[in-house]
Amino acid sequence: QVQLVESGGGLVQAGGSLRLSCAASGSIFRFNEMGWYRQAPGNQRELVAVITKDGSTNYADSVTGRFSISRDNAKNTVYLQMNSLKSEDTAVYYCNAKFYAFNYWGQGTQVTVSS
């Protein structure tokens, strides 16, 4: 059973930074893709950033240039560095891992940006 545990969320002022971590049970190298998604109240869950097994990355237009996703295979952890945070970044952030047809989610971590 795959477990993904997020941490690093919290309350930050607009313009500030946070780093989210997603620790996986077992090696993350097996996953084809890992990423971060977010869901604000009343909105659908949306992609924030993903990183593939070979290190390729993709970002939502709204976070490009401000957020950075990375992975540490030795620590079985994926990170999301969030800079220049805006109030519209407020949401629950979820870690995701994909292994072919299988899709795994963490429990989510709240990020609140005050203006």
Side-chain angles (χ1 to χ4, degrees):
Q1 182 72 11
V2 174
Q3 288 188 325
L4 303 173
V5 179
E6 302 101 333
S7 61
L11 174 64
V12 63
Q13 287 189 332
S17 299
L18 283 175
R19 188 176 81 155
L20 305 182
S21 299
C22 172
S25 58
S27 173
I28 64 172
F29 192 72
R30 56 188 156 153
F31 299 122
N32 305 104
E33 181 183 282
M34 295 192 72
W36 290 93
Y37 292 70
R38 67 187 181 188
Q39 187 168 17
N43 291 356
Q44 291 188 332
R45 192 172 296 188
E46 63 177 4
L47 181 147
V48 177
V50 294
I51 184 166
T52 65
K53 191 173 184 177
D54 65 1
S56 300
T57 59
N58 190 35
Y59 297 91
D61 289 344
S62 59
V63 306
T64 297
R66 299 188 299 122
F67 290 11
S68 177
I69 188 171
S70 62
R71 60 192 293 165
D72 186 333
N73 292 333
K75 295 183 178 180
N76 296 323
T77 301
V78 173
Y79 303 98
L80 183 68
Q81 178 65 44
M82 305 186 295
N83 299 326
S84 302
L85 283 161
K86 306 175 181 179
S87 58
E88 50 263 45
D89 294 318
T90 294
V92 177
Y93 284 70
Y94 296 91
C95 180
N96 173 265
K98 291 183 172 61
F99 181 74
Y100 296 103
F102 296 94
N103 215 7
Y104 303 98
W105 294 95
Q107 82 288 351
T109 185
Q110 176 70 46
V111 171
T112 302
V113 184
S114 63
S115 57

